[in-house]
Amino acid sequence: MMPRMNDTDALARLAAVIESRKPANGGDPEKSYVARLLHKGPDAFLKKIGEEATEVVMAAKDCEQGADVQKLVNEVADLWFHSMIALAHAGCSPADVVAELVRREGLSGLEEKALRKAQAREADA
């Protein structure tokens, strides 16, 4: 299912909130979870991404055993949220990710992976 316009708008709105919570933009680590993670530095939000990724894997495995699919959706939302914090820290946005997915549209995953490996080899040479 393709995202509806308001769905991508929701990502843009969330990205704007995350941006506003950066300490450099006045985000207060005492009042904002996002500001606190960003204030602590990359290790804090990267740790959360790792935790959330593990929870996504566990929820997906549980779905295979008949667990409620909503748990998987919730965990993926947590992973996306924390990934958006990493994107903001790096000066990127969800729109950058969407643009990359659009660029890959119609490419075979195997071909795309081979192309990235070839480009990496060229860059190393």
Side-chain angles (χ1 to χ4, degrees):
M1 179 170 81
M2 293 297 296
R4 298 179 308 251
M5 183 56 84
N6 62 349
D7 294 338
T8 53
D9 289 349
L11 286 175
R13 286 191 306 273
L14 178 55
V17 169
I18 291 170
E19 191 68 28
S20 75
R21 303 285 164 79
K22 286 182 171 179
N25 294 333
D28 183 351
E30 297 297 318
K31 296 180 181 175
S32 164
Y33 173 72
V34 171
R36 186 176 310 138
L37 283 177
L38 289 167
H39 178 74
K40 288 181 178 179
D43 285 349
F45 58 80
L46 296 175
K47 179 180 176 186
K48 285 301 296 180
I49 290 171
E51 290 171 6
E52 298 302 341
T54 299
E55 291 173 8
V56 167
V57 170
M58 292 172 15
K61 300 277 287 174
D62 289 347
C63 285
E64 289 297 310
Q65 303 301 315
D68 185 1
V69 174
Q70 187 61 44
K71 174 74 171 159
L72 175 60
V73 171
N74 294 346
E75 295 301 344
V76 170
D78 291 345
L79 177 60
W80 285 16
F81 174 77
H82 289 90
S83 296
M84 288 176 66
I85 293 171
L87 286 169
H89 178 75
C92 299
S93 73
D96 297 314
V97 176
V98 170
E100 176 59 15
L101 291 171
V102 168
R103 184 192 70 77
R104 295 180 185 185
E105 189 175 3
L107 292 176
S108 155
L110 296 175
E111 291 172 358
E112 198 277 332
K113 185 175 180 179
L115 177 61
R116 279 188 286 138
K117 283 184 177 182
Q119 289 171 338
R121 281 192 301 270
E122 288 176 14
D124 290 342

